[in-house]
Amino acid sequence: MLNAHNVTVSFAGEDLFSGITFKLDAGNRVGLVGKNGAGKSTLLKIIAKDQEFDKGTMALEKDVRIGFLRQDIDFVLGRTVLEESYQAFTEIKKVEKQLEEVNIALVERTDYESESYHQLMVDLSDLTHRFELIGGYNYQGDTEKILQGLGFKREDFNQLTDTFSGGWRMRIELAKLLLQNNDILLLDEPTNHLDIESIIWLEEFLKGYSGAIMLVSHDKMFLDNVTNRTIEISLGKIYDYKYNYSTYLTQRNEIREKQLQSQKNQEKEIKRTEQLIEKFRAKANKASMAQSLIKKLNKVERIEVDAEDTSVMKVRFNISIQPGKVVLETKNVSKSYGDKHVLEDVNLLIERNSKIAFVGQNGQGKSTLAKMIVGDIPFEGDLKLGHNVQIGYFAQNQAEHLDGEKTVLETMEDASTDGNRMRVRDMLGSFLFGGDDVEKKVKVLSGGERNRLALCKMLLSPFNVLVMDEPTNHLDIASKNVLKTALHNFEGTLILVSHDRDFLQGLTKTVYEFKDGNIREYLGDIDYYLEEHNLENMREVEKKTKKAKVKKASKSNYKEDKQKEKQHKQIQNKLSRIETEIANLEKDVAEIDKKLSDAVEYEKLTAQPDFFANYQAKKDKIDSLMQEWETLHESLVR
């Protein structure tokens, strides 16, 4: 499908990666891994032809179709979720429009015997056949199925896309890609905005995908469950392994250890040979032997050990001042969005130095409560912060609030105070923004680099309570580990919203589960919470919640779906009968019109009693049937 050979990409005279070579075949499901800024998203953009490369070749087989889920997307305003999703079906929508135009023309025309009218009938037949071949009668059902798999409800389908958050719009874009039957699927951080139930659904979908997949993700479990090959970009080179992520890590370490041992043995042999050369040089009768050893040494191919990027950010969260014993108390706090009740009568008491995790499915109110705590949104009830409480808040979309036109350094300096402005460069260095990197504009940074910058900027303000909503989105695995250590060492109060069990493990001491507008407290860490549910992992927690709801609704939904399907078929059959009756009546009227144009036939016909009444009745019947057809057709497409 795709063959990349010696591809090199440079920025500002420096190679991002150079001379990389790989092939992509059908059935390959590649996990593209590496540190933030290593070039993962850049490589996807090059394959998708969004970006040029400097050297090398990128060859694609003829007619290969590529679908690319980008991190940054733009939607046309004014479309509903369904309308935007239908943009995936370019050819179907084109044929659908042509069919509509032909049907309108057939209704308006009366020259039934003309060649142009006959051609319209031929076009109608051809277009109808083509429409069926390309899935025109199935695309609406397929769209609804995939949207529901990605977490949308039926009541969301006719809502405008601009009323949804960036994360939900990303799901719509993902749905469009999954509907397109592309040969190569490029996914850049597809799980960042998905809850675990949707991640499970996406995993199953991708496992059955027949084309090639290349995806960037920092979700280890997702990589293990989906991929069968791992390509790592590190220090400008790539390392290609035919394993999933966990196996790749094991193999990578084993290979590097063997390289180190081989290199060590070779260096010993080289040193021994050099000593012999020095020894034989001093003796005239051994000079030829020394020259022979020198030639042999020059021919030795030196063993190289794969370079390892060990650079990691340095993070430390210090508390500003000591707060009172109670940092937060809520009484009968509720939040609704229109008719949707997200939280109802929540009572919560959080004491100093607590380490708390908020868990549960998307839409259950975790981020909502976090926003209420920091004063971002209004609510009903009482919420009181304790004495001397200073909150540091990292929102789920924190990086999106950075000004893309500012440089990294300007972003920090503009947020700094007189007391910490002198430390800005040192802080940036700790977050791996050193040297000329501080002069880069924010808009050219990768998603992970933006998150690192947002974290660094947050440290400019004093706090003793940290509220963090999905802080690991976009962060590479090494950075996630560093952040976890920093939060573990934080001596203040921590409230953490996350779906990542690996990240939460050992980090929090209390878990609050959000479900059906209520909060349930578990006095233990994430493992204790899972044990209480007798489950192996976070994925099954959310899956069980979903299954419980489905079980209650399954019987009624089944009956409802069967009833809808029956009604759908009845309407289609009735439409078919009406179309046949209209065609027969139009044929009769056309024959009468032809006879009326002949003088002899005209006299015969008009001599018949009630001729004009019957003739007009046929025309009226056609009009009546057309109105009935339009009404039925509208009910079918609703």
Side-chain angles (χ1 to χ4, degrees):
M1 279 190 182
L2 180 144
N3 194 342
H5 183 69
N6 286 332
V7 174
T8 297
V9 175
S10 302
F11 287 109
E14 290 188 13
D15 290 345
L16 180 61
F17 46 74
S18 61
I20 66 170
T21 298
F22 64 92
K23 288 179 68 176
L24 202 56
D25 297 316
N28 287 167
R29 295 195 292 272
V30 180
L32 189 60
V33 301
K35 292 198 170 181
N36 297 138
K40 303 184 297 294
S41 296
T42 298
L43 182 55
L44 293 186
K45 289 175 184 176
I46 288 170
I47 296 172
K49 298 182 179 179
D50 279 9
Q51 184 172 319
E52 298 293 328
F53 50 93
D54 299 298
K55 297 177 186 175
T57 59
M58 186 79 71
L60 283 168
E61 289 180 7
K62 189 179 180 182
D63 299 327
V64 167
R65 294 168 299 176
I66 297 177
F68 183 22
L69 179 69
R70 299 164 178 83
Q71 287 189 11
D72 301 313
I73 56 174
D74 291 316
F75 275 359
V76 175
L77 298 180
R79 287 178 183 160
T80 65
V81 171
L82 273 181
E83 288 168 345
E84 183 63 43
S85 300
Y86 289 158
Q87 300 306 306
F89 305 101
T90 308
E91 186 179 4
I92 287 177
K93 298 301 288 184
K94 181 181 178 181
V95 175
E96 191 174 55
K97 187 176 181 182
Q98 290 172 332
L99 273 170
E100 184 181 351
E101 291 170 351
V102 169
N103 278 313
I104 291 173
L106 285 171
V107 171
E108 294 176 346
R109 298 277 289 272
T110 57
D111 53 336
Y112 308 112
E113 299 300 321
S114 67
E115 281 190 29
S116 59
Y117 190 87
H118 175 72
Q119 185 59 47
L120 282 175
M121 296 299 291
V122 172
D123 292 343
L124 179 63
S125 177
D126 291 344
L127 288 169
T128 301
H129 181 62
R130 180 63 185 160
F131 191 66
E132 184 176 2
L133 278 179
I134 60 178
Y137 295 109
N138 302 320
Y139 81 94
Q140 293 177 333
D142 290 343
T143 301
E144 292 182 10
K145 181 180 177 182
I146 283 184
L147 284 173
Q148 286 178 310
L150 290 173
F152 287 94
K153 298 176 182 176
R154 285 194 171 275
E155 53 263 35
D156 297 327
F157 291 170
N158 293 315
Q159 300 295 320
L160 294 176
T161 59
D162 36 295
T163 64
F164 290 87
S165 67
W168 284 97
R169 290 201 294 272
M170 184 68 77
R171 294 189 192 208
I172 299 171
E173 191 68 15
L174 179 57
K176 287 160 61 178
L177 283 181
L178 300 183
L179 287 162
Q180 284 174 348
N181 294 321
N182 292 296
D183 301 299
I184 298 176
L185 201 55
L186 307 175
L187 305 176
D188 197 354
E189 304 272 17
T191 64
N192 269 358
H193 300 287
L194 300 182
D195 57 30
I196 294 173
E197 185 65 31
S198 298
I199 292 173
I200 293 170
W201 180 90
L202 180 60
E203 285 177 356
E204 292 304 313
F205 185 96
L206 295 179
K207 285 177 187 176
Y209 192 77
S210 59
I213 300 169
M214 182 175 278
L215 62 92
V216 174
S217 179
H218 301 124
D219 184 328
K220 291 187 285 187
M221 191 176 292
F222 183 72
L223 286 169
D224 282 344
N225 288 338
V226 172
T227 63
N228 55 21
R229 180 177 166 194
T230 301
I231 293 179
E232 179 191 19
I233 303 180
S234 178
L235 300 174
K237 295 183 179 181
I238 67 167
Y239 302 88
D240 196 343
Y241 297 83
K242 293 181 180 179
Y243 312 107
N244 66 12
Y245 182 74
S246 290
T247 310
Y248 141 77
L249 285 178
T250 303
Q251 293 292 325
R252 181 95 163 84
N253 290 334
E254 288 179 1
I255 289 171
R256 197 166 186 281
E257 285 175 9
K258 288 178 181 177
Q259 287 176 338
L260 283 167
Q261 188 59 47
S262 298
Q263 187 187 61
K264 188 177 179 180
N265 293 337
Q266 187 186 61
E267 286 173 350
K268 283 182 181 179
E269 184 62 27
I270 289 171
K271 188 175 182 180
R272 191 180 71 83
T273 303
E274 287 174 342
Q275 288 172 345
L276 285 173
I277 291 170
E278 289 300 317
K279 182 179 179 181
F280 292 155
R281 261 183 186 157
K283 300 177 182 179
N285 62 340
K286 301 286 187 180
S288 60
M289 191 177 290
Q291 288 300 316
S292 176
L293 287 172
I294 290 171
K295 287 179 182 178
K296 180 183 176 182
L297 195 60
N298 289 336
K299 290 179 181 179
V300 172
E301 188 172 337
R302 304 298 174 106
I303 295 172
E304 291 186 5
V305 178
D306 292 343
E308 194 172 25
D309 187 354
T310 57
S311 59
V312 291
M313 63 179 185
K314 298 179 181 64
V315 187
R316 182 174 177 82
F317 297 115
N318 296 312
I319 64 170
S320 50
I321 55 175
Q322 197 68 251
K325 183 178 179 181
V326 175
V327 298
L328 171 70
E329 186 175 9
T330 70
K331 291 182 180 179
N332 301 323
V333 166
S334 300
K335 179 62 183 177
S336 299
Y337 294 97
D339 296 330
K340 184 178 179 181
H341 302 293
V342 181
L343 295 170
E344 294 183 14
D345 295 328
V346 172
N347 295 299
L348 197 62
L349 180 69
I350 298 177
E351 296 186 344
R352 181 177 59 217
N353 301 335
S354 298
K355 299 291 189 293
I356 294 169
F358 286 175
V359 302
Q361 287 180 304
N362 280 358
Q364 293 294 324
K366 304 184 301 297
S367 296
T368 297
L369 183 55
K371 290 176 182 177
M372 289 157 57
I373 290 171
V374 300
D376 268 10
I377 56 174
F379 54 88
E380 295 178 358
D382 295 321
L383 188 154
K384 184 180 179 183
L385 297 180
H387 178 64
N388 280 341
V389 166
Q390 295 178 330
I391 295 179
Y393 177 47
F394 188 92
Q396 189 172 148
N397 59 345
Q398 189 76 34
E400 295 176 15
H401 296 301
L402 300 175
D403 187 341
E405 294 302 321
K406 288 183 180 180
T407 66
V408 170
L409 184 59
E410 288 170 345
T411 300
M412 288 291 288
E413 287 182 336
D414 290 351
S416 65
T417 63
D418 292 338
N420 56 29
R421 189 166 290 116
M422 295 298 292
R423 296 192 296 112
V424 161
R425 284 185 179 271
D426 290 337
M427 291 173 68
L428 285 171
S430 297
F431 280 80
L432 303 183
F433 294 106
D436 294 337
D437 289 342
V438 300
E439 301 302 332
K440 287 182 179 179
K441 286 197 172 183
V442 170
K443 65 182 179 183
V444 305
L445 300 179
S446 68
E449 287 173 323
R450 292 184 194 183
N451 252 31
R452 288 208 313 264
L453 179 58
L455 280 168
C456 189
K457 181 183 174 184
M458 187 184 73
L459 295 180
L460 291 170
S461 301
F463 56 80
N464 47 33
V465 175
L466 263 180
V467 179
M468 306 193 85
D469 191 354
E470 300 288 359
T472 60
N473 279 356
H474 299 292
L475 287 182
D476 59 51
I477 294 167
S479 297
K480 282 166 66 172
N481 292 336
V482 170
L483 177 60
K484 180 175 178 177
T485 300
L487 291 176
H488 188 272
N489 295 331
F490 178 52
E491 295 178 356
T493 304
L494 174 64
I495 299 173
L496 186 60
V497 181
S498 180
H499 291 294
D500 191 330
R501 178 191 173 181
D502 288 333
F503 188 71
L504 289 174
Q505 208 165 31
L507 194 53
T508 60
K509 297 177 181 178
T510 306
V511 174
Y512 286 104
E513 180 189 31
F514 286 64
K515 183 179 177 183
D516 300 329
N518 299 310
I519 298 177
R520 183 179 176 185
E521 183 182 43
Y522 292 81
L523 296 175
D525 64 4
I526 194 68
D527 288 333
Y528 170 77
Y529 166 72
L530 294 173
E531 286 168 9
E532 284 292 293
H533 285 71
N534 194 26
L535 299 169
E536 291 182 0
N537 54 47
M538 287 288 287
R539 293 166 177 254
E540 292 184 18
V541 172
E542 297 200 13
K543 198 171 183 179
K544 185 175 179 181
T545 303
K546 185 78 172 180
K547 281 182 178 177
K549 293 179 181 177
V550 170
K551 191 173 181 181
K552 291 179 182 178
S554 60
K555 290 185 179 179
S556 59
N557 285 348
Y558 176 77
K559 289 180 181 178
E560 186 180 332
D561 290 342
K562 293 298 288 183
Q563 183 64 28
K564 285 181 180 178
E565 185 179 347
K566 184 179 178 181
Q567 291 174 352
H568 188 84
K569 286 182 178 178
Q570 288 174 344
I571 293 172
Q572 284 185 321
N573 291 336
K574 197 167 184 179
L575 282 171
S576 181
R577 288 197 298 271
I578 290 173
E579 288 167 0
T580 301
E581 191 174 353
I582 290 173
N584 291 335
L585 285 168
E586 286 179 337
K587 185 178 179 181
D588 290 346
V589 171
E591 288 176 359
I592 294 171
D593 288 339
K594 187 176 181 181
K595 288 179 180 179
L596 288 174
S597 63
D598 182 90
V600 177
E601 291 293 333
Y602 179 84
E603 288 185 9
K604 288 182 182 179
L605 290 174
T606 54
Q608 297 175 9
D610 300 325
F611 164 74
F612 283 107
N614 291 333
Y615 177 55
Q616 187 60 43
K618 287 180 182 286
K619 287 188 171 183
D620 291 343
K621 183 63 174 176
I622 290 172
D623 291 339
S624 173
L625 287 170
M626 284 301 300
Q627 289 179 359
E628 187 178 356
W629 185 91
E630 288 178 7
T631 302
L632 286 169
H633 190 264
E634 285 178 5
S635 69
L636 193 64
V637 298
R638 276 200 294 267

